[in-house]
Amino acid sequence: MAVDVEAFRKEVYNVVASIPFGKVLSYGQIAWLVGCPNHSRLVGRMLHGAAESEGLPCHRVVNNVGRLAPGWIKQRLLLEEEGVTFRPNGCVDMKKWQWKLDE
């Protein structure tokens, strides 16, 4: 399935912008929400390329098991500032902190 990259980017940014304080979503969940469930890696690329000036809370996006983005040390600090806690393995507790869309 071909993806209109600019339209995809806008939709991804809209979803990320709407993630509430203290909640997280996975790349795959975002891909599913924008109608492209097989494009979680593209979500990651869109967010990696997001300029800080976009003001997106990209730190609220983790992988499906709650693992943080590799090499982004500040991500954990930003999540902790929002009250998000971590399991002993360093991953976000997705059962506790995942944004349930009906909230």
Side-chain angles (χ1 to χ4, degrees):
M1 173 170 114
V3 174
D4 178 342
V5 175
E6 283 310 308
F8 184 81
R9 179 187 325 273
K10 287 178 185 177
E11 291 183 53
V12 166
Y13 285 10
N14 285 336
V15 171
V16 172
S18 66
I19 301 171
F21 184 92
K23 296 294 181 183
V24 297
L25 279 181
S26 73
Y27 300 100
Q29 290 170 310
I30 294 169
W32 181 81
L33 286 169
V34 301
C36 298
N38 297 320
H39 287 78
S40 57
R41 288 182 184 215
L42 184 55
V43 171
R45 265 189 249 132
M46 296 293 118
L47 296 180
H48 181 73
E52 292 220 7
S53 62
E54 298 285 343
L56 293 173
C58 295
H59 64 282
R60 296 180 186 149
V61 182
V62 296
N63 82 355
N64 66 324
V65 296
R67 192 172 317 126
L68 304 179
W72 187 17
I73 296 166
K74 189 175 178 184
Q75 183 179 16
R76 182 178 177 124
L77 300 173
L78 291 168
L79 289 170
E80 287 176 335
E81 287 174 4
E82 296 186 12
V84 175
T85 56
F86 294 80
R87 297 190 328 239
N89 66 0
C91 294
V92 172
D93 182 346
M94 293 298 279
K95 288 183 181 178
K96 185 172 184 179
W97 301 108
Q98 180 181 355
W99 181 28
K100 311 291 188 286
L101 299 176
D102 58 355
E103 293 179 332

